[in-house]
Amino acid sequence: MKSTLLTLLFAFSLMVCKAQENRPGPQLPPETGETFKVGIAGYTFVKFDLDKTLETLKALDVHYLCIKDFHLPMASTDAEIAAFHEKLKAHDITGYAVGPIYMKSEEEIDRAFDYAKRVGVKLIVGVPNVELLPYVDKKVKEYDFKFAIHLHGPDIKIYQDADDVWNHTKDLDPRMGMCLDIGHDTRNGKDPVADMEKYHTRVFDMHIKDVTGPTRLGYSLEVGRGVIDFPAMVKMIRKVGYTGVCSLEHERNMDNPFMGIAESLGYFRGVIETTKE
């Protein structure tokens, strides 16, 4: 009897040890293996310095950042740009684009393209005056950059939704397109899922956010709490083969956005995981 009990205890110990040995370790982000990447728009951290921004991205296992000029001023020297990239590299983060940058003159456009070249990216997210679009088109050809016009919903008179950006760029160089801000598109009464399908050949960047309603009165809140159909959005992103970055642009409680950022990324990544076929 004693021998049988010892045998059972030994067998149970082996089972426990084996279970512990097989316990899975940390998992890769749900977007691993997708054609698109998950990142964060720099504007999310408008009230925080670069160190806090990078610390947050590292904690969230996010590796792509759209660079705003309050973190890397446009007048930065080459040495300052190199130091900036070293900081990103230390946190395993890539600065994949610059912007949004507002442009009201040809000189400002020249400055933005020179800045992007010195930073080492080939995507500018910009908001040029409409009359300057032919000049932007010329610079795109000269630099071989992609230029993504950021749409702003009903808050400003230009580039209010995806239709607006498409109508202004469809006859220009195919490297002229949009940053599809799905929140602002929704606030202008449009369906960002349908717009992604219609205009995917000109969608070079995306701002991920949720909103409370499809009108100007709708405001930004944590992803998953609003009216945007994220499972349909993720499925459409896959369907059209989008290869850019889906960058969270969190615009709520910006004095202390960190819980909202984590909640939003968690929800978005959960949708990515649960909609896999």
Side-chain angles (χ1 to χ4, degrees):
M1 180 69 179
K2 184 177 181 181
S3 176
T4 302
L5 180 59
L6 288 172
T7 301
L8 288 172
L9 288 171
F10 179 71
F12 179 75
S13 297
L14 287 176
M15 290 173 62
V16 170
C17 289
K18 187 175 181 181
Q20 289 175 338
E21 289 172 2
N22 294 334
R23 181 178 295 166
Q27 301 298 297
L28 293 171
E31 65 269 19
T32 303
E34 300 283 358
T35 62
F36 60 90
K37 304 171 183 69
V38 171
I40 291 187
Y43 181 70
T44 298
F45 299 99
V46 65
K47 297 190 177 183
F48 299 91
D49 64 16
L50 180 63
D51 289 337
K52 185 63 175 178
T53 298
L54 299 182
E55 173 191 322
T56 303
L57 267 66
K58 185 173 182 179
L60 295 167
D61 204 8
V62 172
H63 303 278
Y64 297 92
L65 173 69
C66 187
I67 301 165
K68 276 293 289 180
D69 56 3
F70 49 73
H71 285 150
L72 183 63
M74 294 181 72
S76 296
T77 65
D78 291 344
E80 288 168 336
I81 292 171
F84 175 87
H85 283 304
E86 282 300 314
K87 274 194 170 185
L88 265 61
K89 185 178 179 181
H91 291 79
D92 194 20
I93 294 166
T94 297
Y96 74 91
V98 293
I101 301 172
Y102 291 79
M103 306 168 192
K104 297 182 179 181
S105 68
E106 290 185 1
E107 290 74 21
E108 289 182 351
I109 293 169
D110 290 342
R111 187 181 181 210
F113 274 82
D114 177 68
Y115 172 66
K117 183 178 180 179
R118 292 189 303 111
V119 172
V121 299
K122 298 196 73 172
L123 173 62
I124 297 173
V125 181
V127 189
N129 284 6
V130 171
E131 68 273 13
L132 294 171
L133 286 174
Y135 190 73
V136 176
D137 184 70
K138 176 184 175 182
K139 301 299 284 189
V140 163
K141 290 179 171 69
E142 178 185 343
Y143 281 76
D144 187 25
F145 285 177
K146 287 183 176 178
F147 192 95
I149 295 175
H150 184 272
L151 57 91
H152 275 78
D155 297 324
I156 65 175
K157 293 181 179 180
I158 57 173
Y159 313 130
Q160 294 188 334
D161 55 41
D163 289 336
D164 195 356
V165 177
W166 170 261
N167 288 331
H168 279 103
T169 60
K170 63 183 178 180
D171 297 323
L172 300 176
D173 189 284
R175 289 164 290 193
M176 294 276 292
M178 70 184 76
C179 171
L180 179 58
D181 185 309
I182 65 175
H184 287 319
D185 201 45
T186 300
R187 290 179 61 245
N188 214 48
K190 300 302 175 71
D191 178 356
V193 178
D195 285 343
M196 185 65 178
E197 184 170 35
K198 283 191 291 185
Y199 304 130
H200 67 272
T201 60
R202 296 291 185 99
V203 177
F204 303 141
D205 193 28
M206 294 184 70
H207 280 177
I208 300 300
K209 63 184 64 162
D210 211 344
V211 293
T212 57
T215 71
R216 183 174 185 172
L217 296 179
Y219 57 87
S220 183
L221 76 172
E222 290 79 6
V223 172
R225 296 194 190 191
V227 300
I228 294 177
D229 186 344
F230 279 92
M233 188 78 249
V234 169
K235 290 176 182 177
M236 184 56 68
I237 290 169
R238 286 196 186 104
K239 179 181 176 181
V240 301
Y242 176 65
T243 58
V245 182
C246 297
S247 277
L248 176 71
E249 187 178 47
H250 188 71
E251 297 177 308
R252 188 182 188 198
N253 299 329
M254 297 189 78
D255 289 323
N256 186 16
F258 304 104
M259 293 293 286
I261 293 169
E263 178 182 338
S264 296
L265 280 171
Y267 179 86
F268 187 61
R269 283 172 156 168
V271 171
I272 292 170
E273 183 65 36
T274 57
T275 54
K276 292 180 187 289
E277 294 183 356

